[in-house]
Amino acid sequence: RPQPCGSPLGQCDSLSAVATSQLRMASHEPQTDLPALVKSMSGCAIGRHEVAASKAAASSVASPARARLSEKAISRCDGDDGPSERMGSGWGGTRTPTDDFVDLRRKSSWCRDGSSAKALPPRVYIDNKTLIREVQDLSKLKRGDHCVIALNVLRATTPLGDWAISWLGSCELIYLYHHFIVLDDVEHIDDAGVPRTADGQMAMIVEWGNTIPEAAAEVLSTSAGRLCRLPMTMLKFLFFGKAKFSKHPLADYGDTPHIYLVLAKQTPEERERIVAEALRMESQEQRRYHVIFNNCEHACHKIRYGHHHSAQISFLCWTAFRLLLGLVGLMALKMNQDWAEFADTCYSTLCLNHRGWGTAAYHIFTSVPVALQAMISYILLMRSVLCQRQQSLISRHECCHLLGKELGRAIVVGSWTVLAICLTPNMVSNFLLRLVICSFAYIVSDMVYNCFAHAFMRLVLLPAYGRVWLLGPADPCTPKKDKAV
């Protein structure tokens, strides 16, 4: 008989090994009451790796329904005093969103019927070349797909927080994304909102990832409960182990309703190559995670394209360089104003003829980079949109929508930013406030434009016309009917 949950650790480990072997034997006998067998062996809380092994053994049953039922039964641990909180599948037994969905404590955000939701057109990624489209039906995800979600460093802390961050990302108010590769074809979404494969297993992804609860459990476990070791343990974790490259269920993002697919042509052979490369990288020891030099986007680009690249880091570097140029322009303006105060009492030719050099330098280092950024971004976008239209990745109406929307962005955001920068010297005298305006004028203008654009699309165009373009058929993807019909 299994020992109670208070048994020594060695007895629990031996019991979990016996449980795993019995489950493997029972998986080949259809008459075996597998859930009852699991329940009889659930008197001892088994560790994370034993839980994973037991789930793998249970999932080998031919029937997907029996596999899901066994998975639920294994995940519970009932002590002598009644039901107790089971150990989760996360690090150190931390509960994950998938555990809540499998235990039917709550349902994922994908349980809602999305068939009636109005699909938004694709949007432009941060590199102004790549297009991403929101996934309306997760059952259309295939192995080898490259997906992104709005970056959420507090993921799995609260379901409401995950939903809020995802919603902000859907309105293009969050500019950074988290990347992952899908390893399995999603066949359907079960009643709990968990994406499943054709044989009833949970669809898996591979990524650099971690959550706040798992990170806290790892830090506390490594410090062995000693407060004196906690600061050094946290520093080591932040620099060397804050994320791990591993496989996870796609259901871990069940509180994130908005997932985006990177648009690209992929053959079945290419998809198999991507999955094989992802599994190879997952099985081998990887370089330590680094936000700048080795993040999730680097890994996905390495798997898919074969080269180490992150467009988000390039965007951040350009933003930092533009802010540095703005700082140089502000310093030149301040020196010019100080020189002008001196020139009021100086009547030499040098003082009278060189009083505007600082203002010219200010605009060269602040206004000109913004105008060039808006212009170059639209040119890159136009080339990419037209190329993907030729590959039939987007429809003609989506192509026109993207070109019109981003042209409006280039004109409106660029003009607003340049106007704010030009008015700053005359309306603001404080140096720090000038620096804040020059630093954040572009991003604030872009966010305001996104708010108005999405409000107009979601509240006016979609309810009234069922689409975000005013010309053409309601569903451009639907083929034309035969004239005889």
Side-chain angles (χ1 to χ4, degrees):
R1 290 180 55 83
Q3 299 297 322
C5 288
S7 301
L9 181 60
Q11 296 181 16
C12 288
D13 291 340
S14 62
L15 175 63
S16 61
V18 174
T20 304
S21 62
Q22 291 186 13
L23 284 170
R24 288 173 178 168
M25 294 175 60
S27 64
H28 301 285
E29 300 178 6
Q31 295 81 11
T32 303
D33 190 359
L34 192 55
L37 175 62
V38 172
K39 186 176 181 180
S40 67
M41 294 186 296
S42 62
C44 177
I46 57 181
R48 179 188 183 189
H49 301 290
E50 287 79 5
V51 169
S54 301
K55 287 183 178 180
S59 62
S60 62
V61 186
S63 171
R66 286 174 57 86
R68 292 195 294 271
L69 184 59
S70 304
E71 187 177 292
K72 283 181 54 182
I74 293 174
S75 65
R76 299 186 182 278
C77 175
D78 297 336
D80 293 341
D81 298 331
S84 60
E85 182 75 11
R86 78 168 180 90
M87 296 181 66
S89 59
W91 198 98
T94 305
R95 290 189 62 84
T96 64
T98 301
D99 299 323
D100 292 341
F101 304 146
V102 171
D103 289 347
L104 299 181
R105 294 192 173 191
R106 56 190 178 93
K107 296 183 178 181
S108 74
S109 59
W110 304 321
C111 283
R112 299 191 302 268
D113 184 13
S115 59
S116 59
K118 302 296 184 180
L120 291 175
R123 63 181 60 182
V124 183
Y125 187 59
I126 201 170
D127 60 353
N128 295 303
K129 298 178 182 179
T130 307
L131 299 184
I132 58 177
R133 186 193 298 273
E134 183 173 351
V135 180
Q136 296 290 326
D137 185 5
L138 261 67
S139 62
K140 296 182 179 180
L141 286 179
K142 303 298 181 183
R143 51 194 285 118
D145 280 342
H146 179 187
C147 297
V148 299
I149 62 171
L151 183 63
N152 181 11
V153 296
L154 301 178
R155 183 176 69 85
T157 304
T158 60
L160 181 60
D162 293 348
W163 177 87
I165 295 297
S166 180
W167 184 84
L168 291 175
S170 70
C171 296
E172 298 183 76
L173 298 180
I174 294 180
Y175 295 85
L176 300 181
Y177 293 87
H178 174 69
H179 297 245
F180 59 84
I181 298 294
V182 180
L183 297 179
D184 300 307
D185 293 337
V186 179
E187 180 68 20
H188 67 280
I189 308 296
D190 66 12
D191 295 337
V194 177
R196 300 279 180 175
T197 61
D199 57 356
Q201 305 302 313
M202 288 189 291
M204 305 297 288
I205 62 174
V206 64
E207 61 174 354
W208 278 106
N210 206 344
T211 62
I212 295 295
E214 290 183 278
E218 183 176 356
V219 170
L220 292 176
S221 176
T222 306
S223 62
R226 300 172 61 179
L227 294 179
C228 59
R229 299 177 57 181
L230 190 59
M232 185 59 65
T233 304
M234 292 182 63
L235 289 177
K236 290 182 179 180
F237 175 80
L238 292 176
F239 282 100
F240 303 115
K242 53 182 169 290
K244 300 172 180 59
F245 190 77
S246 57
K247 293 190 296 184
H248 298 280
L250 178 58
D252 278 352
Y253 293 99
D255 295 321
T256 303
H258 303 283
I259 295 180
Y260 305 92
L261 174 66
V262 178
L263 299 183
K265 282 284 188 181
Q266 289 182 328
T267 62
E269 294 77 13
E270 180 69 14
R271 291 181 180 275
E272 294 299 328
R273 185 199 65 81
I274 291 174
V275 172
E277 178 66 17
L279 293 176
R280 185 193 66 81
M281 290 182 59
E282 190 269 338
S283 62
Q284 297 179 354
E285 184 176 357
Q286 298 296 315
R287 293 166 46 193
R288 291 190 180 98
Y289 176 85
H290 195 281
V291 174
I292 298 177
F293 302 111
N294 191 34
N295 57 33
C296 59
E297 188 176 14
H298 284 113
C300 290
H301 270 266
K302 179 68 175 177
I303 292 172
R304 186 170 180 179
Y305 304 109
H307 61 272
H308 205 68
H309 174 70
S310 175
Q312 297 180 113
I313 299 301
S314 302
F315 171 79
L316 294 177
C317 291
W318 159 248
T319 302
F321 178 70
R322 186 169 58 82
L323 296 182
L324 181 61
L325 292 179
L327 179 61
V328 173
L330 286 172
M331 293 180 65
L333 180 64
K334 181 174 176 55
M335 293 175 62
N336 177 71
Q337 292 176 343
D338 295 340
W339 179 266
E341 293 177 359
F342 170 74
D344 288 339
T345 57
C346 176
Y347 298 97
S348 64
T349 304
L350 179 64
C351 295
L352 294 177
N353 294 339
H354 297 81
R355 299 182 61 175
W357 67 271
T359 304
Y362 168 76
H363 288 291
I364 290 175
F365 287 107
T366 55
S367 302
V368 173
V370 170
L372 290 177
Q373 178 178 353
M375 185 184 307
I376 295 174
S377 297
Y378 185 73
I379 293 175
L380 293 176
L381 165 74
M382 183 172 59
R383 292 181 55 188
S384 176
V385 169
L386 294 177
C387 179
Q388 300 202 37
R389 170 67 186 119
Q390 292 178 354
Q391 298 178 5
S392 300
L393 292 173
I394 59 176
S395 66
R396 178 172 62 89
H397 295 283
E398 290 173 339
C399 175
C400 296
H401 165 78
L402 284 172
L403 293 178
K405 174 188 172 184
E406 298 305 321
L407 178 61
R409 184 192 305 277
I411 296 174
V412 174
V413 175
S415 60
W416 283 356
T417 306
V418 172
L419 180 62
I421 292 175
C422 292
L423 295 178
T424 296
N426 298 327
M427 301 182 63
V428 180
S429 59
N430 185 271
F431 179 81
L432 292 179
L433 187 56
R434 287 177 175 179
L435 180 61
V436 171
I437 294 176
C438 292
S439 302
F440 296 99
Y442 187 88
I443 189 71
V444 171
S445 301
D446 192 66
M447 293 176 70
V448 172
Y449 179 83
N450 287 332
C451 289
F452 278 106
H454 279 269
F456 186 65
M457 287 191 297
R458 297 169 187 258
L459 302 180
V460 178
L461 294 180
L462 287 177
Y465 301 97
R467 57 190 186 275
V468 295
W469 46 81
L470 299 180
L471 301 177
D475 187 6
C477 297
T478 304
K480 294 182 180 180
K481 295 183 179 180
D482 194 345
K483 291 183 179 180
V485 177

